[in-house]
Amino acid sequence: MIRRTIIFIICSISLLSVKAQDFHVVTGKTVIIDGVTSFGCFACDYQQSNQKDTLLFDAKYVRNNPLMDIYLPVNGFGCGNKMLNRDFNKTLQSDDYPFIHVLVEQFFQEENAYFSSLRLKLVGKELYMEKLPFILVEENGIQLLKAEFELNLSYFDLEPPKKFLGLLKVKEELNVRLELSLEQ
C-alpha cells in the first residue's frame, strides 16, 4: 500500500511539470490575393474546407515534420472571370509550377497575439517569414485566425501582366490574406 502511494505521488509530481499543449483544429483555409491595376482592383481567392488539421501552439519545429504542409493549386484560385483567371495562372507559371507550397514550421502565442514562422514556395523560389502576426477574431459565429502581408512579384522574378499595349498594368505589390477557420 505504501509502495502504491509513493508511486502515485511520484507520478503526480512528474505530471505537474508537464505543460499542457494548446492547440486548435483547423477546419478550413482561405487565401485571398488582392492586387491593383491601373484601372482598379482585383481579388483572387482559394478556399479549402474539406480537410482538418491540428495546429499546435509553441510546438518545436522538427525538420521534415512541419506543423502544417499546405499545397494550394494555382488553377484553384478564382479571380472573378476567365480572363483574370488565365492571367493569374500565366503570371504564376501554373504549367511549370502548379502549386503554391506553404510550410508552417511554428505557431506560437505571446500574450494575446499569435505568430507563425512559415515558408512560402512559389515558382521555385522560397520566402521565409519568421514572425508573421495572426489575430483571432470571430465572424458569423466562426473563429478565425487571420494574417495579412505584402508580396512583391519581383522577389520571385515574376512579371506582372500588361494588357492593351501597356495601358492596363498590374502593380508588383500584392496583398495576401490568410484565414484559418477553427473548430469550436
Side-chain angles (χ1 to χ4, degrees):
M1 181 68 176
I2 294 175
R3 188 180 208 182
R4 287 185 191 164
T5 306
I6 292 172
I7 291 172
F8 177 74
I9 291 171
I10 291 172
C11 288
S12 297
I13 291 170
S14 65
L15 288 176
L16 290 175
S17 63
V18 176
K19 180 183 172 190
Q21 187 93 17
D22 190 16
F23 70 94
H24 284 289
V25 176
V26 177
T27 58
K29 303 170 194 90
T30 302
V31 178
I32 303 163
I33 300 174
D34 296 314
V36 177
T37 71
S38 51
F39 286 113
C41 301
F42 67 92
C44 299
D45 68 346
Y46 174 79
Q47 293 183 345
Q48 182 183 53
S49 60
N50 57 352
Q51 293 180 332
K52 288 187 177 183
D53 281 313
T54 302
L55 188 58
L56 299 173
F57 292 101
D58 299 322
K60 299 294 182 213
Y61 172 62
V62 179
R63 196 108 182 102
N64 299 322
N65 191 21
L67 296 178
M68 294 175 77
D69 193 357
I70 305 166
Y71 287 88
L72 306 169
V74 174
N75 64 4
F77 280 80
C79 302
N81 65 53
K82 288 182 181 182
M83 186 176 82
L84 285 174
N85 291 349
R86 186 178 56 246
D87 288 346
F88 183 82
N89 284 298
K90 185 178 176 186
T91 300
L92 297 185
Q93 304 171 17
S94 65
D95 290 339
D96 296 326
Y97 303 98
F99 294 98
I100 298 170
H101 189 194
V102 181
L103 285 167
V104 180
E105 295 182 349
Q106 187 180 26
F107 210 94
F108 54 97
Q109 184 176 3
E110 290 179 0
E111 298 178 17
N112 293 330
Y114 296 92
F115 299 94
S116 175
S117 296
L118 59 86
R119 294 182 188 279
L120 174 68
K121 294 181 182 179
L122 179 66
V123 296
K125 289 194 129 194
E126 181 176 274
L127 176 65
Y128 179 68
M129 289 176 261
E130 186 172 359
K131 197 173 181 182
L132 180 64
F134 278 77
I135 58 169
L136 182 63
V137 297
E138 188 168 324
E139 292 179 3
N140 302 321
I142 299 171
Q143 276 193 325
L144 298 170
L145 276 170
K146 291 182 161 191
E148 192 169 337
F149 60 93
E150 291 288 321
L151 188 68
N152 195 312
L153 291 175
S154 65
Y155 177 84
F156 295 98
D157 297 324
L158 295 174
E159 186 74 29
K162 295 176 186 171
K163 297 287 183 186
F164 309 117
L165 302 173
L167 291 175
L168 176 64
K169 297 178 188 175
V170 175
K171 290 191 177 184
E172 287 191 10
E173 296 81 25
L174 299 174
N175 185 58
V176 180
R177 294 181 283 154
L178 307 173
E179 295 179 0
L180 301 175
S181 304
L182 305 177
E183 190 172 79
Q184 293 186 12

